[in-house]
């Protein structure tokens, strides 16, 4: 269980930092919960949505990851990392042509 609460984290940035910290401690459940909190605290934060997508994908939840990434890309359409992850998620769903386009976009954005 996480050693933080909704009351102890006030911003999406704090929640994102907690998410990475929990991941560094091999606590992916807490990392994902912190990413969910980041999205709740800042629903238009594309980086928070992308982080949530990363963690959903790490649990093999491609549909949830795709939904989170699509939200992330709505708010931060030039986020190369989100496009790259989008490519992996689309590949996992056997949407190869779309995945290739996502990878190409990521490469163009992060030349």
């Amino acid at each position: 269980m996480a050693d933080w609460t909704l009351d102890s984290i006030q911003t999406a940035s704090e929640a994102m930092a907690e998410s990475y910290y929990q991941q560094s401690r091999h606590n992916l459940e807490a990392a994902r919960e912190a990413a969910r909190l980041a999205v709740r605290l800042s629903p238009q934060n594309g980086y928070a949505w992308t982080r949530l997508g990363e963690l959903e994908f790490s649990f093999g939840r491609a549909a949830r990851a795709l939904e989170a990434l699509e939200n992330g890309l709505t708010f931060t359409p030039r986020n190369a990392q989100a496009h790259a992850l989008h490519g992996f998620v689309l590949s996992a769903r056997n949407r190869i042509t779309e995945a290739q386009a996502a990878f190409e976009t990521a490469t163009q954005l992060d030349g």
Side-chain angles (χ1 to χ4, degrees):
M1 196 68 183
D3 55 356
W4 45 266
T5 66
L6 182 60
D7 294 334
S8 68
I9 294 179
Q10 300 298 314
T11 69
S13 295
E14 289 175 300
M16 294 278 288
E18 184 67 28
S19 178
Y20 285 108
Y21 171 73
Q22 291 297 332
Q23 181 179 0
S24 78
R25 297 179 53 91
H26 308 286
N27 191 347
L28 295 180
E29 288 286 347
R32 185 176 56 180
E33 195 54 40
R36 287 179 181 157
L37 176 58
V39 166
R40 284 194 305 270
L41 290 170
S42 184
Q44 294 183 349
N45 183 327
Y47 295 99
W49 280 107
T50 299
R51 176 67 179 151
L52 180 57
E54 289 173 345
L55 289 160
E56 291 293 1
F57 192 55
S58 76
F59 282 93
R61 296 177 175 145
R64 288 184 184 178
L66 186 59
E67 182 180 325
L69 280 169
E70 287 172 349
N71 284 327
L73 288 168
T74 296
F75 299 116
T76 53
R78 298 191 51 79
N79 181 348
Q81 180 181 349
H83 284 283
L85 180 59
H86 197 210
F88 286 111
V89 173
L90 290 168
S91 292
R93 301 195 64 165
N94 205 29
R95 293 166 57 182
I96 305 305
T97 302
E98 293 169 87
Q100 182 177 3
F103 289 130
E104 288 173 6
T105 299
T107 301
Q108 290 170 357
L109 290 171
D110 191 26

